[in-house]
Amino acid sequence: MDLNTITEVVRRPADRPGAQWRPGDAWLAGGTWLFSAEQPRLRRLVDLTALGWEPLVADDTGLEIAATCTIRELYAFSPPAEWRAGPLFAAGCEAFLSSFKVWNAATVGGNICLSLPAGPMITLAVALEARYELWARDGSVHVVDALDFVTGDHRNVLAPGEVLRRISIPAHALRKRVAHRRFSLTRLGRSTVFLVGTHTPGSQDLLLTVTAGTTRPVRLAYHTLPDERTLRQGIDAVPAEVWFEDPNGTRDHRRHLARHFAEEIRRELAAGD
């Protein structure tokens, strides 16, 4: 869609682009959502891709994903063999309701900052205990837990002019065993629920992440693997207003699916390798 209110595109922003921010601006990365709808309040786009951030950096501490990393680049990434959670990257990318053309442009950071309930990069980041590095307009840097970033449907903690710079996933989370379940009304449809469970080998823990069916990510953490009843109680304890409702499912339907898939995940991880 043509954005006929835009009067300028900043192709070469400063290394710390927040200092240039002014009302009517929007950060431009892939632009796949930005150009899909009218944006009457926008006057200027600031192109973050020109900053040349390295898409993916893997080392002994874990994985750093630049906010401008495309979905195609993430999907093509081959994680080390010891990162048992590695297959979750492909699963998250495949959860996109999009074509390969969108994959070539859409970015990890864009999906996170859009903060829609069905954002699969949000699921991926929260399940793998990621932290986000945010750049403020004054040049300061602060870090937030992925779980705390999204606060509701299309809402997050970003202040005007703040930039999501990178997503950092710790190595200990990448070494965990993982099980996931996703439901949609059609084979390539938008996620109705997307659940991920992770388990540390040699321990009895369980970290269950519930997304897509909720307006913000929900994490249930257990030091000891729960039984079916305890896990169900954890799902039922999620406040009613947190469950999401749209044409893809009612709140009750999504809660029912979460109970069902959570138990499947629990059994799969309890069974061991």
Side-chain angles (χ1 to χ4, degrees):
M1 174 177 288
D2 291 335
L3 301 182
N4 56 18
T5 61
I6 300 299
T7 60
E8 182 183 359
V9 178
V10 179
R11 294 293 186 186
R12 295 184 179 275
D15 289 341
R16 293 285 182 162
Q20 297 176 285
W21 181 269
R22 65 193 189 198
D25 282 359
W27 303 123
L28 174 63
T32 52
W33 176 81
L34 197 63
F35 287 99
S36 71
E38 294 182 359
Q39 310 290 347
R41 292 179 293 180
L42 298 185
R43 299 294 179 268
R44 192 172 71 150
L45 303 178
V46 182
D47 186 1
L48 296 178
T49 62
L51 295 173
W53 296 335
E54 186 70 22
L56 296 154
V57 178
D59 57 27
D60 292 341
T61 66
L63 178 66
E64 287 190 352
I65 307 172
T68 50
C69 174
T70 65
I71 304 307
R72 179 188 59 80
E73 289 169 327
L74 182 62
Y75 190 72
F77 174 64
S78 297
E82 62 270 22
W83 288 2
R84 296 189 180 195
L88 193 58
F89 293 119
C93 293
E94 290 167 357
F96 266 90
L97 176 57
S98 60
S99 68
F100 72 92
K101 292 184 288 186
V102 172
W103 274 27
N104 285 328
T107 61
V108 175
N111 187 252
I112 291 171
C113 292
L114 189 55
S115 299
L116 296 177
M121 296 297 100
I122 299 169
T123 308
L124 176 70
V126 175
L128 294 180
E129 305 167 53
R131 295 175 68 81
Y132 301 156
E133 181 180 304
L134 308 182
W135 287 1
R137 293 175 62 181
D138 62 5
S140 61
V141 176
H142 64 285
V143 176
V144 299
D145 193 299
L147 179 65
D148 301 323
F149 182 80
V150 176
T151 57
D153 180 14
H154 216 343
R155 301 198 305 272
N156 58 51
V157 301
L158 279 176
E162 277 194 320
V163 180
L164 171 59
R165 169 60 182 89
R166 60 170 58 87
I167 300 96
S168 298
I169 301 175
H172 75 83
L174 290 162
R175 288 193 290 265
K176 289 186 175 184
R177 295 176 54 235
V178 63
H180 61 86
R181 298 290 188 277
R182 188 177 79 90
F183 178 88
S184 62
L185 295 179
T186 60
R187 187 172 69 88
L188 298 177
R190 177 173 175 170
S191 300
T192 301
V193 293
F194 194 173
L195 280 73
V196 179
T198 62
H199 164 70
T200 306
S203 79
Q204 291 293 316
D205 68 350
L206 173 66
L207 200 65
L208 181 70
T209 299
V210 182
T211 61
T214 52
T215 57
R216 56 173 174 78
V218 172
R219 177 186 288 165
L220 303 179
Y222 301 92
H223 295 298
T224 302
L225 196 69
D227 58 20
E228 181 178 359
R229 179 182 178 184
T230 301
L231 187 58
R232 182 186 178 97
Q233 289 174 339
I235 296 291
D236 289 346
V238 176
E241 65 273 14
V242 173
W243 293 100
F244 186 53
E245 187 167 65
D246 71 354
N248 291 289
T250 64
R251 292 183 175 90
D252 287 342
H253 176 55
R254 285 179 151 110
R255 186 187 295 110
H256 166 75
L257 290 172
R259 292 169 180 158
H260 175 77
F261 290 132
E263 175 57 15
E264 286 193 352
I265 288 171
R266 185 192 71 85
R267 291 185 181 186
E268 180 176 333
L269 294 176
D273 290 337

